[in-house]
Amino acid sequence: MKMDWGGLQELVPQGFEGGRAASSPLKLLLRTDIALSGTTSLPLILVLGAIATVAYADHRVVSISLIYLYILPLSVGAMFLRKELSYSLIAACILLHYLDSPRRIPLGIRIFHDLSASVCFTFVLYVIQKYTAQRETLAKAIRKQRDELVRDVNLAAQVQRLFLPTAKPAIGGMEIVGMMRPARGLSGDYYDYIPISDQKIQVVIADVAGKGIPAALLMSATAAAVQLEAGRERSMEEIVRRLNGGIHAVSDEGVRYVTLILAEIDVKERRLHFINCGHNPALLLRSRTGSLSLLHASCPPIGLFEGASCQLDSVELESGDLLVFYTDGVTEAEDASGEEFGIERLSAVVRRGSQRPAEQLMRDIFESSAGFSGENGFHDDVTILIARCNFDDLPSQGS
């Protein structure tokens, strides 16, 4: 998050000492926000130079009085200089005109011109400074609101992280890791792994349509609902059905929805049961043959339609098989030309790192997608979940 340097104005000492000590007297003549911007001598040079130019022209032109031209440098001074100095310059300009003008004008008329010009200059400076003060007040109010919003967003992001797992699941025969990197302060992605028993674990990955605060709120509702449903003895179809009904009730139909994969890994049966609700197809890399298959969606996204039915799919697993779940922030990362990272590049990274530890492979996927996008960065949240089957390491495997 970017810091609001405007809030540091009150912390800057008037007698600033250091590498720019020579400019301190000049800063005392400028408005606080102008002095903090780093511009010190330029406004003074501009104002004094303009006054000198008008004074020279007023001296050279004899036919008419040019006193009202002083309104230009005085107006500029009102925008950059402190109030006291701005009004002091009015007296200086009137005195310059009085002493410098070679015209032979009766004293009474000259005094009248000077007084009327003083009133005019004072009124113009008052209006400009009043407008400037209102702008400063508005800017401070905006900065305060922005700071409060940043604090609220940071707090909301901390609450969001409470829904994510804090440690790797301890289940024999499986190596499971996950990560989530929000593109902004708040995220619309979610992942979790929920132990069901010593030999079963459910993994879930979800992506809320849209970005920003609305997506983050729906993500939090989804995470809370998933964790609540997972603690009850219900079938996966029933869990998804209840999630669909709950999210559909709180989201705008056709606008806010959630793509989700709910998967259950049974270590004893060596099977994967899953429901893919409109999410990116998970990758299944077979250790024995090296073949890679996609676990496509068979159901509409959660919350998109009321009463949508979902299909439970199942595949057999072998020791060494690799499961890769991800959100579209990975595959839709774009390079400078607008080309996406895509499923093919992701598959290539998975093949190359298939023998690496799950955590290292997860980092490889993230770094490959990030390196592909380069300076463009990620425009969407990135979530990756890796599950490697290590059934041969089970103590009871040989019995």
Side-chain angles (χ1 to χ4, degrees), residues 357-390:
E359 190 164 352
Q360 180 61 52
L361 176 59
M362 180 179 66
R363 287 199 297 266
D364 290 346
I365 294 173
F366 177 80
E367 292 172 0
S368 297
S369 183
F372 178 82
S373 61
E375 295 182 356
N376 286 346
F378 292 108
H379 299 293
D380 201 356
D381 307 319
V382 173
T383 302
I384 305 169
L385 193 151
I386 307 290
R388 182 188 297 279
C389 303
N390 297 325

Side-chain angles (χ1 to χ4, degrees), residues 256-271:
R256 296 291 175 188
Y257 57 87
V258 181
T259 65
L260 175 142
I261 295 180
L262 179 63
E264 183 177 279
I265 302 174
D266 191 322
V267 175
K268 181 178 180 180
E269 295 183 0
R270 300 191 177 190
R271 294 197 69 85

Side-chain angles (χ1 to χ4, degrees), residues 10-24:
E10 299 178 358
L11 302 180
V12 177
Q14 296 296 326
F16 176 74
E17 297 179 0
R20 291 187 291 180
S23 64
S24 296

Side-chain angles (χ1 to χ4, degrees), residues 159-171:
V159 173
Q160 271 197 318
R161 286 193 287 271
L162 297 177
F163 289 106
L164 301 178
T166 57
K168 298 178 183 179
I171 180 169

Side-chain angles (χ1 to χ4, degrees), residues 191-222:
Y191 78 95
D192 204 352
Y193 18 79
I194 306 167
I196 304 301
S197 67
D198 292 341
Q199 296 177 329
K200 290 183 181 180
I201 187 170
Q202 285 185 355
V203 296
V204 58
I205 187 169
D207 185 3
V208 177
K211 297 179 178 66
I213 295 178
L217 292 175
L218 190 54
M219 171 271 186
S220 299
T222 302

Side-chain angles (χ1 to χ4, degrees), residues 108-124:
I109 297 178
R110 175 175 289 193
I111 294 175
F112 174 78
H113 284 171
D114 292 345
L115 289 177
S116 62
S118 299
V119 172
C120 177
F121 295 162
T122 302
F123 175 76
V124 171

